[in-house]
Amino acid sequence: MASTTDHSSPMNRKRSATARSIDNGFVWGTAAVAIAVGLLLVAIALRVGTDALPAIQKFGLGFLVSNRWSVIDGAFGALTQIYGTLVTSFIALLIAVPIGVGVAIFLSEDFLPPRIKQPIVFLVELLAAIPSVVYGLWGIFVLIPFLRPVGIWLNANLGWIPLFSTAPAGPGIYAAGLVLAIMILPIIAAISRDAMVAVPAELRQAAYGLGATRWETIFQILLPAGFSGIAGGVMLALGRAMGETMAVTMLIGNSNTIDSFSILSQGSTVSSLLANQFAEAGGLQVSALMYAALVLFGLTLVVNVLAEIVVRRFSLKL
Amino acid sequence: MTSRLQSARQTDSVFHTEDLNIYYGNFLAVRDLSIDIAKNSITAFIGPSGCGKSTVLRCFNRLNDLIKSFHIKGKIYYHDQDLYASEIDPVEVRRQVGMVFQKPNPFPKSIYDNIAFGPRLLGYKGDMDELVEQSLKQAALWDDVKDKLKAFGTDLSGGQQQRLCIARAVAVQPDVILMDEPCSALDPISTLKVEDLLQELKEKYTIMIVTHNMQQASRASDYTAFFNVEANSKGQRTGYVVEYDRTEVIFQSPKEQATQAYVSGRFG
Ligand SMILES: Nc1ncnc2c1ncn2[C@@H]1O[C@H](COP(=O)(O)OP(=O)(O)OP(=O)(O)O)[C@@H](O)[C@H]1O
Ligand SMILES: [Mg+2]
């Protein structure tokens, strides 16, 4: 068109060379950052892998099924820690998922006027901003003393269930799991709420228009439609719970052996093990710790891949 | 629960409004609506955008109740029952007064589950497969989807989705079906299919339809209400019914100048 070269026109339709190069530069810049992040991940995995190599050669896969962690004998196995990591995370999810999704439902519906709802949304998200050492202190000074009688009662009355088969000793797996639940609650609540709010209003209207009640609409339409988002949030939270170090180290008791399935007993997780031992470790122990770190890395990776599969498999096309 | 909604349907008029004024907060959206909707007929609402057609339509199944600022003055009677009386349960109203929306909104579920959703809510005990088939046939969709009832409703074409939504509304065997511009996203062929469908549906149901398509209103409806909108002294644009009559009258010999202008396309 002639007008594109018409300099008397008040519109400038040509893109200047700088505008073009900024555009191109932006594309390359973002690509470079993305690749750098990927490389960083690979570099970390490689470094941890090479450092772990001596332990991998010495213990092989037996590392995963041995619960003996003895610096003196130079015998290392991470079963206790793997078990602790999985159990604390599982307890956390068991508590945090129903509550978090419940909070998300409550805050995504119009039960409350916006003036009251907004501050609550903010407060829930603020839970995520509390440093984990503060959670640890709170657990030591408030939660553990508070739960002590509960633990004693459970052991006395339900002690025949393996889960409660030991007397509570202050810190323990249950305390770590509970505090983890509180720590991941805001992640689940916030992401699930976003997922619920993002469900198109037309679906809600369609359900109401057919004579569905509010609960039928929530449970049969809105939750399934928001499922992939909610599942994504839960998996993110699980990743956080498995890797959380400070609060867990302060609360779990850091025992390197398991002799029962009791959640009232003390235990350790992979990350608490690393935090406890790394500073004074040497030789094969360092390598064993690196191997444990690699295992944690692998566990988180498996969880994330599973999450991706679950989300793909069940996500509903909108 | 024995609701007053379940009592006998004796009268020939399904809905009857008296001096209905509809508000969103302080905003008077529609004023002085007094209208009778005849049983087993198709009533079309026409008029310029923003005159309150959707607002009025959604009063009849109490869907506006979802909007906090919404309230009415005046009365709407449904088979001689006050629709907005405190003892009426809006959920029960919507089980008798179905709705099809402007934008097709199938659930992200299978075609089968889309249709079965309503009947399951109502605890339908009969043969669900048969009900699904029947409803899809009534909506002229059966031949398109009979081999893929497990497929997602959301994967159908726009026109098929809308017919699915009609089938979904029909499946609960309502008394009235409200349709808000059901054909606005459809091609002419699908539109004609839906119009044919309306003629069949009115044997069993009472239908109210909002449309911007004059030909559709004149072809498909028995009665037509022409809405217009006027700004008052405070600058609020309030809608009202200019003329309501048999469709032939509205389109061939309307009493009001404005109606004549609108239906012949010389509006504004
Ligand atoms: N939820 C709401 N809150 C406040 N005002 C609303 C709401 N919904 C609609 N209105 C107002 O009510 C008036 C009527 O709207 P309505 O959607 O009923 O018009 P309509 O005749 O259906 O228009 P269209 O033909 O464009 O669909 C408009 O002025 C609109 O802005
Ligand atoms: Mg409308």
Side-chain angles (χ1 to χ4, degrees), chain B residues 24 27 29-30 47-56 67 69 102 180-181 210 212 237:
Chain B
Y24 292 111
F27 169 55
V30 177
S49 193
C51 64
K53 306 177 295 293
S54 302
T55 299
V56 170
I67 299 166
S69 63
Q102 174 170 3
D180 194 350
E181 301 183 49
V210 172
H212 279 291
R237 294 174 59 78

Side-chain angles (χ1 to χ4, degrees), chain B residues 30-62:
Chain B
V30 177
R31 67 170 162 84
D32 306 325
L33 183 70
S34 295
I35 202 171
D36 259 299
I37 306 295
K39 194 174 159 82
N40 293 99
S41 69
I42 301 177
T43 304
F45 289 180
I46 61 171
S49 193
C51 64
K53 306 177 295 293
S54 302
T55 299
V56 170
L57 198 69
R58 295 154 63 96
C59 283
F60 290 114
N61 66 346
R62 296 198 54 171

Side-chain angles (χ1 to χ4, degrees), chain A residues 167-187:
Chain A
I173 289 177
Y174 70 102
L178 265 175
V179 168
L180 279 179
I182 301 171
M183 293 176 77
I184 64 174
L185 185 69
I187 303 178

